[in-house]
């Protein structure tokens, strides 16, 4: 779960710096990172609720 988030986050940073990717990638990368973080949160909350 962590690796895709890190990869997309690194691509976002590189895009902001203008080093490798054009700025047109940012909306998709932002959505991707947000979605992955939501999934992680959902999984964590589900595990917490299962313990309760």
């Amino acid at each position: 779960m962590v690796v895709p988030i890190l990869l997309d986050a690194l691509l976002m940073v590189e895009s902001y710096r203008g080093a490798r990717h054009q700025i047109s990638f940012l909306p998709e990368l932002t959505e991707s990172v947000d979605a992955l973080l939501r999934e992680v949160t959902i999984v964590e909350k589900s595990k917490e609720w299962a313990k309760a």
Side-chain angles (χ1 to χ4, degrees):
M1 243 11 231
V2 174
V3 173
I5 295 170
L6 289 175
L7 290 175
D8 283 351
L10 286 171
L11 285 172
M12 286 174 60
V13 169
E14 290 296 317
S15 295
Y16 275 116
R17 284 185 18 185
R20 296 184 186 188
H21 305 286
Q22 293 191 2
I23 210 80
S24 62
F25 278 81
L26 287 178
E28 294 88 11
L29 290 173
T30 302
E31 289 174 16
S32 174
V33 169
D34 288 344
L36 289 168
L37 289 173
R38 275 193 302 275
E39 285 181 34
V40 169
T41 302
I42 289 169
V43 169
E44 289 174 353
K45 292 292 182 187
S46 297
K47 287 180 182 178
E48 286 177 19
W49 292 337
K51 290 179 184 178

